[in-house]
PDB file of all heavy atoms in Angstrom:
ATOM      1  N   GLY A  64       0.759  -1.210  -0.012  1.00 95.00           N
ATOM      2  CA  GLY A  64      -0.029   0.061   0.015  1.00 95.00           C
ATOM      3  C   GLY A  64       0.872   1.300   0.038  1.00 95.00           C
ATOM      4  O   GLY A  64       0.246   2.366   0.125  1.00 95.00           O
ATOM      5  N   GLU A  65       2.158   1.184  -0.345  1.00 94.00           N
ATOM      6  CA  GLU A  65       2.996   2.280  -0.276  1.00 94.00           C
ATOM      7  C   GLU A  65       3.189   3.020  -1.689  1.00 94.00           C
ATOM      8  O   GLU A  65       3.668   4.094  -1.874  1.00 94.00           O
ATOM      9  CB  GLU A  65       4.455   1.870   0.116  1.00 94.00           C
ATOM     10  CG  GLU A  65       4.400   1.285   1.501  1.00 94.00           C
ATOM     11  CD  GLU A  65       5.794   0.649   1.956  1.00 94.00           C
ATOM     12  OE1 GLU A  65       6.641   0.512   0.957  1.00 94.00           O
ATOM     13  OE2 GLU A  65       5.897   0.218   2.987  1.00 94.00           O
ATOM     14  N   LEU A  66       2.505   2.341  -2.775  1.00 96.00           N
ATOM     15  CA  LEU A  66       2.619   2.918  -4.089  1.00 96.00           C
ATOM     16  C   LEU A  66       1.263   2.590  -4.697  1.00 96.00           C
ATOM     17  O   LEU A  66       0.717   1.499  -4.672  1.00 96.00           O
ATOM     18  CB  LEU A  66       3.714   2.257  -4.900  1.00 96.00           C
ATOM     19  CG  LEU A  66       3.787   2.566  -6.407  1.00 96.00           C
ATOM     20  CD1 LEU A  66       4.084   4.032  -6.653  1.00 96.00           C
ATOM     21  CD2 LEU A  66       4.683   1.687  -7.220  1.00 96.00           C
ATOM     22  N   LYS A  67       0.635   3.717  -5.274  1.00 96.00           N
ATOM     23  CA  LYS A  67      -0.566   3.415  -6.135  1.00 96.00           C
ATOM     24  C   LYS A  67      -0.200   3.162  -7.537  1.00 96.00           C
ATOM     25  O   LYS A  67       0.667   3.663  -8.105  1.00 96.00           O
ATOM     26  CB  LYS A  67      -1.388   4.764  -6.154  1.00 96.00           C
ATOM     27  CG  LYS A  67      -1.745   5.255  -4.594  1.00 96.00           C
ATOM     28  CD  LYS A  67      -2.459   6.512  -4.721  1.00 96.00           C
ATOM     29  CE  LYS A  67      -2.849   7.115  -3.288  1.00 96.00           C
ATOM     30  NZ  LYS A  67      -3.370   8.373  -3.405  1.00 96.00           N
ATOM     31  N   ILE A  68      -0.941   2.153  -8.123  1.00 95.00           N
ATOM     32  CA  ILE A  68      -0.642   1.785  -9.494  1.00 95.00           C
ATOM     33  C   ILE A  68      -2.071   1.772 -10.247  1.00 95.00           C
ATOM     34  O   ILE A  68      -3.028   1.230  -9.790  1.00 95.00           O
ATOM     35  CB  ILE A  68      -0.036   0.449  -9.569  1.00 95.00           C
ATOM     36  CG1 ILE A  68       1.515   0.504  -9.201  1.00 95.00           C
ATOM     37  CG2 ILE A  68      -0.163  -0.284 -11.112  1.00 95.00           C
ATOM     38  CD1 ILE A  68       2.270  -0.746  -9.216  1.00 95.00           C
ATOM     39  N   GLU A  69      -2.033   2.307 -11.501  1.00 96.00           N
ATOM     40  CA  GLU A  69      -3.181   2.255 -12.369  1.00 96.00           C
ATOM     41  C   GLU A  69      -2.804   1.632 -13.597  1.00 96.00           C
ATOM     42  O   GLU A  69      -1.880   2.194 -14.295  1.00 96.00           O
ATOM     43  CB  GLU A  69      -3.747   3.668 -12.603  1.00 96.00           C
ATOM     44  CG  GLU A  69      -4.926   3.639 -13.374  1.00 96.00           C
ATOM     45  CD  GLU A  69      -5.561   5.008 -13.648  1.00 96.00           C
ATOM     46  OE1 GLU A  69      -5.297   5.935 -12.893  1.00 96.00           O
ATOM     47  OE2 GLU A  69      -6.338   5.160 -14.613  1.00 96.00           O
ATOM     48  N   LEU A  70      -3.223   0.489 -13.941  1.00 95.00           N
ATOM     49  CA  LEU A  70      -2.774  -0.220 -15.078  1.00 95.00           C
ATOM     50  C   LEU A  70      -3.609   0.164 -16.345  1.00 95.00           C
ATOM     51  O   LEU A  70      -4.931   0.190 -16.178  1.00 95.00           O
ATOM     52  CB  LEU A  70      -2.813  -1.789 -14.825  1.00 95.00           C
ATOM     53  CG  LEU A  70      -1.969  -2.372 -13.998  1.00 95.00           C
ATOM     54  CD1 LEU A  70      -2.125  -3.865 -13.753  1.00 95.00           C
ATOM     55  CD2 LEU A  70      -0.470  -2.136 -14.581  1.00 95.00           C
ATOM     56  N   LEU A  71      -3.185   0.342 -17.435  1.00 97.00           N
ATOM     57  CA  LEU A  71      -3.678   0.629 -18.744  1.00 97.00           C
ATOM     58  C   LEU A  71      -3.021  -0.301 -19.815  1.00 97.00           C
ATOM     59  O   LEU A  71      -1.873  -0.379 -19.881  1.00 97.00           O
ATOM     60  CB  LEU A  71      -3.655   2.154 -19.192  1.00 97.00           C
ATOM     61  CG  LEU A  71      -4.418   3.110 -18.317  1.00 97.00           C
ATOM     62  CD1 LEU A  71      -4.137   4.475 -18.786  1.00 97.00           C
ATOM     63  CD2 LEU A  71      -5.920   2.893 -18.402  1.00 97.00           C
ATOM     64  N   PRO A  72      -3.899  -0.898 -20.656  1.00 96.00           N
ATOM     65  CA  PRO A  72      -3.283  -1.603 -21.895  1.00 96.00           C
ATOM     66  C   PRO A  72      -2.367  -0.622 -22.654  1.00 96.00           C
ATOM     67  O   PRO A  72      -2.781   0.613 -22.609  1.00 96.00           O
ATOM     68  CB  PRO A  72      -4.532  -2.030 -22.640  1.00 96.00           C
ATOM     69  CG  PRO A  72      -5.617  -2.086 -21.646  1.00 96.00           C
ATOM     70  CD  PRO A  72      -5.303  -0.866 -20.653  1.00 96.00           C
ATOM     71  N   GLN A  73      -1.329  -1.110 -23.366  1.00 96.00           N
ATOM     72  CA  GLN A  73      -0.344  -0.187 -23.905  1.00 96.00           C
ATOM     73  C   GLN A  73      -1.045   0.650 -25.018  1.00 96.00           C
ATOM     74  O   GLN A  73      -0.743   1.940 -25.143  1.00 96.00           O
ATOM     75  CB  GLN A  73       0.677  -1.033 -24.441  1.00 96.00           C
ATOM     76  CG  GLN A  73       1.652  -1.474 -23.405  1.00 96.00           C
ATOM     77  CD  GLN A  73       2.891  -2.245 -23.996  1.00 96.00           C
ATOM     78  OE1 GLN A  73       2.736  -2.709 -25.070  1.00 96.00           O
ATOM     79  NE2 GLN A  73       3.994  -2.307 -23.141  1.00 96.00           N
ATOM     80  N   GLY A  74      -1.878   0.026 -25.806  1.00 96.00           N
ATOM     81  CA  GLY A  74      -2.544   0.938 -26.850  1.00 96.00           C
ATOM     82  C   GLY A  74      -3.483   2.033 -26.354  1.00 96.00           C
ATOM     83  O   GLY A  74      -3.571   3.016 -26.765  1.00 96.00           O
ATOM     84  N   THR A  75      -4.217   1.643 -25.155  1.00 98.00           N
ATOM     85  CA  THR A  75      -5.049   2.539 -24.469  1.00 98.00           C
ATOM     86  C   THR A  75      -4.233   3.673 -23.854  1.00 98.00           C
ATOM     87  O   THR A  75      -4.615   4.847 -23.938  1.00 98.00           O
ATOM     88  CB  THR A  75      -5.806   1.838 -23.396  1.00 98.00           C
ATOM     89  OG1 THR A  75      -6.731   0.853 -23.904  1.00 98.00           O
ATOM     90  CG2 THR A  75      -6.724   2.825 -22.621  1.00 98.00           C
ATOM     91  N   LEU A  76      -3.090   3.347 -23.354  1.00 98.00           N
ATOM     92  CA  LEU A  76      -2.147   4.325 -22.791  1.00 98.00           C
ATOM     93  C   LEU A  76      -1.630   5.356 -23.744  1.00 98.00           C
ATOM     94  O   LEU A  76      -1.795   6.521 -23.690  1.00 98.00           O
ATOM     95  CB  LEU A  76      -0.983   3.646 -22.146  1.00 98.00           C
ATOM     96  CG  LEU A  76       0.112   4.551 -21.548  1.00 98.00           C
ATOM     97  CD1 LEU A  76      -0.463   5.348 -20.360  1.00 98.00           C
ATOM     98  CD2 LEU A  76       1.307   3.841 -21.123  1.00 98.00           C
ATOM     99  N   ALA A  77      -1.215   4.834 -24.952  1.00 98.00           N
ATOM    100  CA  ALA A  77      -0.776   5.687 -26.093  1.00 98.00           C
ATOM    101  C   ALA A  77      -1.876   6.588 -26.653  1.00 98.00           C
ATOM    102  O   ALA A  77      -1.645   7.712 -26.812  1.00 98.00           O
ATOM    103  CB  ALA A  77      -0.180   4.847 -27.249  1.00 98.00           C
ATOM    104  N   GLU A  78      -3.124   6.068 -26.710  1.00 98.00           N
ATOM    105  CA  GLU A  78      -4.244   6.793 -27.328  1.00 98.00           C
ATOM    106  C   GLU A  78      -4.705   7.801 -26.389  1.00 98.00           C
ATOM    107  O   GLU A  78      -4.991   8.956 -26.760  1.00 98.00           O
ATOM    108  CB  GLU A  78      -5.415   5.862 -27.724  1.00 98.00           C
ATOM    109  CG  GLU A  78      -6.579   6.585 -28.228  1.00 98.00           C
ATOM    110  CD  GLU A  78      -6.325   7.348 -29.643  1.00 98.00           C
ATOM    111  OE1 GLU A  78      -5.191   7.219 -30.114  1.00 98.00           O
ATOM    112  OE2 GLU A  78      -7.273   8.025 -30.037  1.00 98.00           O
ATOM    113  N   ALA A  79      -4.664   7.434 -25.015  1.00 98.00           N
ATOM    114  CA  ALA A  79      -5.118   8.520 -24.067  1.00 98.00           C
ATOM    115  C   ALA A  79      -4.177   9.663 -24.013  1.00 98.00           C
ATOM    116  O   ALA A  79      -4.492  10.887 -23.853  1.00 98.00           O
ATOM    117  CB  ALA A  79      -5.112   7.820 -22.623  1.00 98.00           C
ATOM    118  N   ILE A  80      -2.816   9.451 -24.127  1.00 98.00           N
ATOM    119  CA  ILE A  80      -1.883  10.511 -24.144  1.00 98.00           C
ATOM    120  C   ILE A  80      -2.085  11.353 -25.501  1.00 98.00           C
ATOM    121  O   ILE A  80      -2.013  12.603 -25.486  1.00 98.00           O
ATOM    122  CB  ILE A  80      -0.415  10.032 -24.022  1.00 98.00           C
ATOM    123  CG1 ILE A  80      -0.180   9.441 -22.707  1.00 98.00           C
ATOM    124  CG2 ILE A  80       0.601  11.171 -24.181  1.00 98.00           C
ATOM    125  CD1 ILE A  80       1.011   8.509 -22.678  1.00 98.00           C
ATOM    126  N   ARG A  81      -2.194  10.646 -26.636  1.00 98.00           N
ATOM    127  CA  ARG A  81      -2.469  11.417 -27.861  1.00 98.00           C
ATOM    128  C   ARG A  81      -3.678  12.282 -27.790  1.00 98.00           C
ATOM    129  O   ARG A  81      -3.738  13.370 -28.259  1.00 98.00           O
ATOM    130  CB  ARG A  81      -2.699  10.338 -29.033  1.00 98.00           C
ATOM    131  CG  ARG A  81      -2.688  10.953 -30.432  1.00 98.00           C
ATOM    132  CD  ARG A  81      -3.258  10.078 -31.484  1.00 98.00           C
ATOM    133  NE  ARG A  81      -4.761   9.898 -31.215  1.00 98.00           N
ATOM    134  CZ  ARG A  81      -5.636  10.758 -31.602  1.00 98.00           C
ATOM    135  NH1 ARG A  81      -5.365  11.906 -32.232  1.00 98.00           N
ATOM    136  NH2 ARG A  81      -7.042  10.449 -31.490  1.00 98.00           N
ATOM    137  N   CYS A  82      -4.724  11.753 -27.157  1.00 98.00           N
ATOM    138  CA  CYS A  82      -6.145  12.524 -27.015  1.00 98.00           C
ATOM    139  C   CYS A  82      -5.693  13.844 -26.075  1.00 98.00           C
ATOM    140  O   CYS A  82      -6.110  14.923 -26.380  1.00 98.00           O
ATOM    141  CB  CYS A  82      -7.135  11.696 -26.367  1.00 98.00           C
ATOM    142  SG  CYS A  82      -7.893  10.650 -27.460  1.00 98.00           S
ATOM    143  N   GLY A  83      -4.989  13.618 -25.094  1.00 98.00           N
ATOM    144  CA  GLY A  83      -4.601  14.614 -24.245  1.00 98.00           C
ATOM    145  C   GLY A  83      -3.891  15.847 -24.977  1.00 98.00           C
ATOM    146  O   GLY A  83      -4.080  17.005 -24.809  1.00 98.00           O
ATOM    147  N   GLY A  84      -2.941  15.361 -25.966  1.00 98.00           N
ATOM    148  CA  GLY A  84      -2.263  16.351 -26.702  1.00 98.00           C
ATOM    149  C   GLY A  84      -3.112  16.973 -27.791  1.00 98.00           C
ATOM    150  O   GLY A  84      -2.700  18.202 -28.270  1.00 98.00           O
ATOM    151  N   ALA A  85      -4.215  16.359 -28.259  1.00 98.00           N
ATOM    152  CA  ALA A  85      -5.051  16.791 -29.304  1.00 98.00           C
ATOM    153  C   ALA A  85      -6.168  17.613 -28.728  1.00 98.00           C
ATOM    154  O   ALA A  85      -7.034  18.097 -29.603  1.00 98.00           O
ATOM    155  CB  ALA A  85      -5.536  15.604 -30.142  1.00 98.00           C
ATOM    156  N   GLY A  86      -6.319  17.736 -27.495  1.00 97.00           N
ATOM    157  CA  GLY A  86      -7.489  18.429 -26.842  1.00 97.00           C
ATOM    158  C   GLY A  86      -8.737  17.711 -26.924  1.00 97.00           C
ATOM    159  O   GLY A  86      -9.831  18.312 -26.919  1.00 97.00           O
ATOM    160  N   ILE A  87      -8.644  16.391 -26.987  1.00 98.00           N
ATOM    161  CA  ILE A  87      -9.906  15.562 -26.858  1.00 98.00           C
ATOM    162  C   ILE A  87      -9.982  14.960 -25.516  1.00 98.00           C
ATOM    163  O   ILE A  87      -9.043  14.560 -24.854  1.00 98.00           O
ATOM    164  CB  ILE A  87      -9.629  14.297 -27.974  1.00 98.00           C
ATOM    165  CG1 ILE A  87      -9.526  14.923 -29.367  1.00 98.00           C
ATOM    166  CG2 ILE A  87     -10.866  13.367 -27.928  1.00 98.00           C
ATOM    167  CD1 ILE A  87      -9.027  13.780 -30.412  1.00 98.00           C
ATOM    168  N   GLY A  88     -11.289  15.054 -25.079  1.00 98.00           N
ATOM    169  CA  GLY A  88     -11.597  14.680 -23.645  1.00 98.00           C
ATOM    170  C   GLY A  88     -11.292  13.182 -23.260  1.00 98.00           C
ATOM    171  O   GLY A  88     -11.126  12.924 -22.107  1.00 98.00           O
ATOM    172  N   GLY A  89     -11.400  12.399 -24.313  1.00 98.00           N
ATOM    173  CA  GLY A  89     -11.285  10.961 -24.046  1.00 98.00           C
ATOM    174  C   GLY A  89     -11.848  10.142 -25.290  1.00 98.00           C
ATOM    175  O   GLY A  89     -12.159  10.696 -26.317  1.00 98.00           O
ATOM    176  N   PHE A  90     -12.056   8.828 -25.217  1.00 98.00           N
ATOM    177  CA  PHE A  90     -12.416   7.962 -26.184  1.00 98.00           C
ATOM    178  C   PHE A  90     -12.973   6.698 -25.736  1.00 98.00           C
ATOM    179  O   PHE A  90     -12.781   6.274 -24.511  1.00 98.00           O
ATOM    180  CB  PHE A  90     -11.220   7.679 -27.112  1.00 98.00           C
ATOM    181  CG  PHE A  90     -10.168   6.974 -26.516  1.00 98.00           C
ATOM    182  CD1 PHE A  90      -9.977   5.537 -26.598  1.00 98.00           C
ATOM    183  CD2 PHE A  90      -9.143   7.556 -25.559  1.00 98.00           C
ATOM    184  CE1 PHE A  90      -8.927   4.874 -26.008  1.00 98.00           C
ATOM    185  CE2 PHE A  90      -8.171   6.810 -24.943  1.00 98.00           C
ATOM    186  CZ  PHE A  90      -8.002   5.504 -25.165  1.00 98.00           C
ATOM    187  N   TYR A  91     -13.784   6.008 -26.592  1.00 98.00           N
ATOM    188  CA  TYR A  91     -14.295   4.712 -26.324  1.00 98.00           C
ATOM    189  C   TYR A  91     -13.488   3.691 -27.047  1.00 98.00           C
ATOM    190  O   TYR A  91     -13.123   3.686 -28.064  1.00 98.00           O
ATOM    191  CB  TYR A  91     -15.740   4.706 -26.791  1.00 98.00           C
ATOM    192  CG  TYR A  91     -16.664   5.480 -25.976  1.00 98.00           C
ATOM    193  CD1 TYR A  91     -16.975   6.690 -26.363  1.00 98.00           C
ATOM    194  CD2 TYR A  91     -17.227   4.898 -24.811  1.00 98.00           C
ATOM    195  CE1 TYR A  91     -17.960   7.593 -25.659  1.00 98.00           C
ATOM    196  CE2 TYR A  91     -18.122   5.737 -24.100  1.00 98.00           C
ATOM    197  CZ  TYR A  91     -18.436   6.976 -24.524  1.00 98.00           C
ATOM    198  OH  TYR A  91     -19.381   7.832 -23.737  1.00 98.00           O
ATOM    199  N   THR A  92     -13.192   2.539 -26.181  1.00 98.00           N
ATOM    200  CA  THR A  92     -12.338   1.503 -26.732  1.00 98.00           C
ATOM    201  C   THR A  92     -13.058   0.060 -26.229  1.00 98.00           C
ATOM    202  O   THR A  92     -13.537   0.047 -25.040  1.00 98.00           O
ATOM    203  CB  THR A  92     -10.950   1.540 -26.312  1.00 98.00           C
ATOM    204  OG1 THR A  92     -10.277   0.328 -26.649  1.00 98.00           O
ATOM    205  CG2 THR A  92     -10.856   1.652 -24.765  1.00 98.00           C
ATOM    206  N   PRO A  93     -12.958  -0.906 -27.016  1.00 98.00           N
ATOM    207  CA  PRO A  93     -13.357  -2.261 -26.510  1.00 98.00           C
ATOM    208  C   PRO A  93     -12.384  -3.012 -25.741  1.00 98.00           C
ATOM    209  O   PRO A  93     -12.690  -3.966 -24.991  1.00 98.00           O
ATOM    210  CB  PRO A  93     -13.763  -3.071 -27.836  1.00 98.00           C
ATOM    211  CG  PRO A  93     -12.699  -2.477 -28.730  1.00 98.00           C
ATOM    212  CD  PRO A  93     -12.665  -1.057 -28.479  1.00 98.00           C
ATOM    213  N   THR A  94     -11.129  -2.494 -25.728  1.00 97.00           N
ATOM    214  CA  THR A  94     -10.109  -3.167 -24.991  1.00 97.00           C
ATOM    215  C   THR A  94     -10.371  -3.045 -23.538  1.00 97.00           C
ATOM    216  O   THR A  94     -10.718  -2.006 -22.951  1.00 97.00           O
ATOM    217  CB  THR A  94      -8.791  -2.466 -25.322  1.00 97.00           C
ATOM    218  OG1 THR A  94      -8.598  -2.544 -26.651  1.00 97.00           O
ATOM    219  CG2 THR A  94      -7.642  -3.269 -24.580  1.00 97.00           C
ATOM    220  N   ALA A  95     -10.342  -4.155 -22.780  1.00 97.00           N
ATOM    221  CA  ALA A  95     -10.500  -4.310 -21.297  1.00 97.00           C
ATOM    222  C   ALA A  95     -11.925  -4.414 -20.923  1.00 97.00           C
ATOM    223  O   ALA A  95     -12.217  -4.543 -19.614  1.00 97.00           O
ATOM    224  CB  ALA A  95      -9.762  -3.260 -20.557  1.00 97.00           C
ATOM    225  N   VAL A  96     -12.917  -4.396 -21.858  1.00 97.00           N
ATOM    226  CA  VAL A  96     -14.311  -4.490 -21.367  1.00 97.00           C
ATOM    227  C   VAL A  96     -14.410  -5.882 -20.809  1.00 97.00           C
ATOM    228  O   VAL A  96     -13.935  -6.940 -21.406  1.00 97.00           O
ATOM    229  CB  VAL A  96     -15.189  -4.382 -22.657  1.00 97.00           C
ATOM    230  CG1 VAL A  96     -16.673  -4.749 -22.251  1.00 97.00           C
ATOM    231  CG2 VAL A  96     -15.235  -2.917 -23.133  1.00 97.00           C
ATOM    232  N   GLY A  97     -15.078  -6.035 -19.728  1.00 96.00           N
ATOM    233  CA  GLY A  97     -15.354  -7.306 -19.019  1.00 96.00           C
ATOM    234  C   GLY A  97     -14.224  -7.707 -18.095  1.00 96.00           C
ATOM    235  O   GLY A  97     -14.243  -8.877 -17.606  1.00 96.00           O
ATOM    236  N   THR A  98     -13.174  -6.909 -17.859  1.00 97.00           N
ATOM    237  CA  THR A  98     -12.089  -7.312 -17.032  1.00 97.00           C
ATOM    238  C   THR A  98     -12.075  -6.213 -15.867  1.00 97.00           C
ATOM    239  O   THR A  98     -12.791  -5.351 -15.854  1.00 97.00           O
ATOM    240  CB  THR A  98     -10.770  -7.150 -17.812  1.00 97.00           C
ATOM    241  OG1 THR A  98     -10.342  -5.727 -17.983  1.00 97.00           O
ATOM    242  CG2 THR A  98     -10.722  -7.752 -19.156  1.00 97.00           C
ATOM    243  N   LYS A  99     -11.161  -6.553 -14.886  1.00 95.00           N
ATOM    244  CA  LYS A  99     -11.113  -5.775 -13.684  1.00 95.00           C
ATOM    245  C   LYS A  99     -10.646  -4.362 -14.142  1.00 95.00           C
ATOM    246  O   LYS A  99     -10.973  -3.251 -13.279  1.00 95.00           O
ATOM    247  CB  LYS A  99     -10.177  -6.381 -12.620  1.00 95.00           C
ATOM    248  CG  LYS A  99     -10.625  -7.560 -11.986  1.00 95.00           C
ATOM    249  CD  LYS A  99      -9.808  -8.050 -10.880  1.00 95.00           C
ATOM    250  CE  LYS A  99     -10.440  -9.215 -10.187  1.00 95.00           C
ATOM    251  NZ  LYS A  99      -9.430  -9.527  -8.997  1.00 95.00           N
ATOM    252  N   LEU A 100     -10.058  -4.174 -15.226  1.00 95.00           N
ATOM    253  CA  LEU A 100      -9.623  -2.902 -15.584  1.00 95.00           C
ATOM    254  C   LEU A 100     -10.686  -1.923 -15.965  1.00 95.00           C
ATOM    255  O   LEU A 100     -10.566  -0.691 -16.033  1.00 95.00           O
ATOM    256  CB  LEU A 100      -8.536  -2.961 -16.776  1.00 95.00           C
ATOM    257  CG  LEU A 100      -7.235  -3.670 -16.535  1.00 95.00           C
ATOM    258  CD1 LEU A 100      -6.402  -3.617 -17.786  1.00 95.00           C
ATOM    259  CD2 LEU A 100      -6.431  -3.106 -15.325  1.00 95.00           C
ATOM    260  N   ALA A 101     -11.862  -2.531 -16.278  1.00 96.00           N
ATOM    261  CA  ALA A 101     -13.015  -1.758 -16.608  1.00 96.00           C
ATOM    262  C   ALA A 101     -13.940  -1.324 -15.490  1.00 96.00           C
ATOM    263  O   ALA A 101     -14.817  -0.563 -15.601  1.00 96.00           O
ATOM    264  CB  ALA A 101     -13.843  -2.532 -17.509  1.00 96.00           C
ATOM    265  N   GLU A 102     -13.533  -1.797 -14.225  1.00 96.00           N
ATOM    266  CA  GLU A 102     -14.302  -1.526 -13.055  1.00 96.00           C
ATOM    267  C   GLU A 102     -14.362  -0.051 -12.728  1.00 96.00           C
ATOM    268  O   GLU A 102     -13.350   0.675 -12.693  1.00 96.00           O
ATOM    269  CB  GLU A 102     -13.814  -2.267 -11.842  1.00 96.00           C
ATOM    270  CG  GLU A 102     -14.025  -3.780 -12.001  1.00 96.00           C
ATOM    271  CD  GLU A 102     -13.479  -4.570 -10.801  1.00 96.00           C
ATOM    272  OE1 GLU A 102     -12.861  -3.878  -9.818  1.00 96.00           O
ATOM    273  OE2 GLU A 102     -13.662  -5.781 -10.823  1.00 96.00           O
ATOM    274  N   GLY A 103     -15.582   0.520 -12.598  1.00 95.00           N
ATOM    275  CA  GLY A 103     -15.813   1.831 -12.324  1.00 95.00           C
ATOM    276  C   GLY A 103     -15.705   2.871 -13.424  1.00 95.00           C
ATOM    277  O   GLY A 103     -15.987   4.080 -13.291  1.00 95.00           O
ATOM    278  N   LYS A 104     -15.623   2.221 -14.647  1.00 96.00           N
ATOM    279  CA  LYS A 104     -15.547   3.033 -15.865  1.00 96.00           C
ATOM    280  C   LYS A 104     -16.923   2.969 -16.565  1.00 96.00           C
ATOM    281  O   LYS A 104     -17.573   1.889 -16.660  1.00 96.00           O
ATOM    282  CB  LYS A 104     -14.379   2.714 -16.761  1.00 96.00           C
ATOM    283  CG  LYS A 104     -13.011   2.883 -16.069  1.00 96.00           C
ATOM    284  CD  LYS A 104     -11.919   2.556 -17.026  1.00 96.00           C
ATOM    285  CE  LYS A 104     -10.560   2.848 -16.265  1.00 96.00           C
ATOM    286  NZ  LYS A 104      -9.357   2.588 -17.099  1.00 96.00           N
ATOM    287  N   GLU A 105     -17.273   3.935 -17.356  1.00 97.00           N
ATOM    288  CA  GLU A 105     -18.483   4.073 -18.187  1.00 97.00           C
ATOM    289  C   GLU A 105     -18.428   2.957 -19.273  1.00 97.00           C
ATOM    290  O   GLU A 105     -17.303   2.953 -20.058  1.00 97.00           O
ATOM    291  CB  GLU A 105     -18.657   5.404 -18.808  1.00 97.00           C
ATOM    292  CG  GLU A 105     -19.836   5.579 -19.651  1.00 97.00           C
ATOM    293  CD  GLU A 105     -19.901   6.808 -20.614  1.00 97.00           C
ATOM    294  OE1 GLU A 105     -19.109   7.805 -20.246  1.00 97.00           O
ATOM    295  OE2 GLU A 105     -20.609   6.796 -21.528  1.00 97.00           O
ATOM    296  N   ILE A 106     -19.441   2.215 -19.463  1.00 97.00           N
ATOM    297  CA  ILE A 106     -19.569   1.161 -20.613  1.00 97.00           C
ATOM    298  C   ILE A 106     -20.712   1.617 -21.497  1.00 97.00           C
ATOM    299  O   ILE A 106     -21.845   1.957 -20.951  1.00 97.00           O
ATOM    300  CB  ILE A 106     -19.837  -0.154 -20.023  1.00 97.00           C
ATOM    301  CG1 ILE A 106     -18.697  -0.602 -18.980  1.00 97.00           C
ATOM    302  CG2 ILE A 106     -19.962  -1.174 -21.226  1.00 97.00           C
ATOM    303  CD1 ILE A 106     -17.398  -0.809 -19.685  1.00 97.00           C
ATOM    304  N   ARG A 107     -20.525   1.625 -22.740  1.00 97.00           N
ATOM    305  CA  ARG A 107     -21.514   2.179 -23.649  1.00 97.00           C
ATOM    306  C   ARG A 107     -21.554   1.150 -24.864  1.00 97.00           C
ATOM    307  O   ARG A 107     -20.462   0.733 -25.277  1.00 97.00           O
ATOM    308  CB  ARG A 107     -21.214   3.491 -24.137  1.00 97.00           C
ATOM    309  CG  ARG A 107     -22.167   4.054 -25.230  1.00 97.00           C
ATOM    310  CD  ARG A 107     -21.903   5.503 -25.616  1.00 97.00           C
ATOM    311  NE  ARG A 107     -22.757   6.057 -26.566  1.00 97.00           N
ATOM    312  CZ  ARG A 107     -22.685   7.301 -27.058  1.00 97.00           C
ATOM    313  NH1 ARG A 107     -21.617   8.112 -26.615  1.00 97.00           N
ATOM    314  NH2 ARG A 107     -23.466   7.628 -28.002  1.00 97.00           N
TER     315      ARG A 107
END
């Protein structure tokens, strides 16, 4: 409990940073749907 870790799939990580640089608020992806990485996130 001495370090917080947030895991993101590599493609998701790259796209999230690209969106940050492009002024886009976020994006929808099928990657990680149905896994623990999707817990607490909006599903559409």
Side-chain angles (χ1 to χ4, degrees):
E65 298 170 355
L66 174 68
K67 300 173 186 176
I68 286 180
E69 182 179 341
L70 288 175
L71 290 175
Q73 286 179 340
T75 300
L76 177 65
E78 179 64 6
I80 298 166
R81 189 197 69 80
C82 285
I87 299 170
F90 63 101
Y91 287 94
T92 175
T94 305
V96 170
T98 73
K99 288 188 175 182
L100 296 183
E102 291 179 359
K104 296 180 179 180
E105 176 194 348
I106 303 293
R107 180 177 178 181

